[in-house]
């Protein structure tokens, strides 16, 4: 598991793996999530019929996803942004993988795992969502692209990865400067670290030919 000892909006680590003979290079780029006030989670309390927003800038710098095991009727959806403008125009994407650092995971009995659904969406800086209608709109927004599902065993900690190649291709085709995902969970709750100082952060790993 990677450990990042710095804080920032985005970091791009680029390694040219093949550059001999004058041909195209295979480049591997690691892009950190934007974190801060860009990312976070939207909570819906079905008992109170109320939405609320928490950003990754709020201590403890995490994104919560899924159904709260301790409060009936409370569900959270996570929103994570990756800046992709560092990928050169015309680069041929070979693969894109998102790694989510799971700090905690707790299933709701009798379930033994949590299912995460990851969709491509767009959303503004989360701190800008100030009204109930705005929060509801992005909480329930129709996905641009339906993504994969990921199973997290209760008690698991570590990285969970999934393929994001199609989502990255779609974002670039639309001229977006970011790839944004919404993470929905069922049967329990998962805590994702997001630019915690001295800790871990979601990461988009891209391989491309340039």
């Amino acid at each position: 598991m990677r450990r990042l000892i710095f804080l920032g909006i985005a970091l791009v680590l680029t390694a040219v793996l093949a550059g001999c003979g004058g041909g195209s290079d295979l480049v591997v780029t690691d892009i950190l999530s934007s974190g801060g006030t860009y990312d976070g989670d939207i909570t819906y309390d079905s008992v109170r019929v109320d939405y609320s927003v928490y950003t990754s800038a709020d201590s403890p710098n995490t994104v919560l996803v899924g159904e709260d095991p301790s409060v009936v009727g409370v569900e959270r959806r996570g929103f994570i942004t990756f800046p992709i403008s560092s990928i050169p125009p015309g680069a041929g994407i070979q693969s894109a993988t998102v790694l989510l650092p799971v700090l905690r995971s707790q299933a709701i009995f009798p379930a033994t795992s949590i299912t995460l659904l990851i969709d491509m969406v767009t959303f503004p800086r989360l701190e800008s969502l100030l009204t109930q209608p705005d929060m509801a709109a992005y909480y329930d927004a129709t996905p641009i692209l339906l993504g994969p599902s990921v199973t997290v065993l209760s008690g698991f900690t570590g990285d969970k990865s999934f393929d994001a190649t199609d989502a990255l291709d779609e974002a670039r085709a639309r001229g977006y400067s970011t790839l944004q995902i919404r993470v929905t969970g069922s049967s329990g709750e998962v805590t994702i670290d997001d630019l915690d100082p001295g800790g871990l952060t979601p990461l988009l790993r891209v391989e491309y030919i340039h």
Side-chain angles (χ1 to χ4, degrees), residues 13-31:
L13 304 174
T14 304
V16 178
L17 301 183
C20 300
S24 298
D25 293 329
L26 175 63
V27 181
V28 179
T29 298
D30 285 349
I31 303 173

Side-chain angles (χ1 to χ4, degrees), residues 117-141:
L117 300 178
I118 299 101
D119 296 322
M120 177 187 171
V121 294
T122 60
F123 54 90
R125 188 188 294 251
L126 280 194
E127 70 166 358
S128 70
L129 302 181
L130 303 177
T131 68
Q132 292 289 300
D134 283 348
M135 296 176 197
Y138 288 100
Y139 184 90
D140 289 320

Side-chain angles (χ1 to χ4, degrees), residues 13-90:
L13 304 174
T14 304
V16 178
L17 301 183
C20 300
S24 298
D25 293 329
L26 175 63
V27 181
V28 179
T29 298
D30 285 349
I31 303 173
L32 305 188
S33 63
S34 295
T37 57
Y38 286 90
D39 299 348
D41 50 79
I42 300 177
T43 299
Y44 176 60
D45 186 329
S46 61
V47 176
R48 298 174 55 194
V49 191
D50 177 73
Y51 293 90
S52 54
V53 169
Y54 297 89
T55 73
S56 297
D58 301 322
S59 181
N61 312 109
T62 57
V63 175
L64 297 179
V65 175
E67 302 172 73
D68 193 320
S70 60
V71 183
V72 175
V74 171
E75 181 179 347
R76 299 177 176 92
R77 296 182 178 179
F79 295 80
I80 300 173
T81 301
F82 298 99
I84 59 173
S85 57
S86 61
I87 302 173

Side-chain angles (χ1 to χ4, degrees), residues 2-3 6 19 25 42 52-53 55 68 78 81 90 94 107 114 128 144 157 162 166-167 170 184 186 193 202:
R2 66 198 178 283
R3 179 156 292 275
F6 44 82
D25 293 329
I42 300 177
S52 54
V53 169
T55 73
D68 193 320
T81 301
Q94 304 301 296
I114 304 98
S128 70
I144 296 171
T157 61
F162 59 90
D166 289 345
E170 183 69 21
T184 303
S186 59
D193 205 349

Side-chain angles (χ1 to χ4, degrees), residues 82-85 120-122 144 167-180:
F82 298 99
I84 59 173
S85 57
M120 177 187 171
V121 294
T122 60
I144 296 171
L168 179 59
D169 285 341
E170 183 69 21
R172 297 181 75 233
R174 290 170 177 253
Y176 294 167
S177 61
T178 60
L179 170 61
Q180 295 182 305

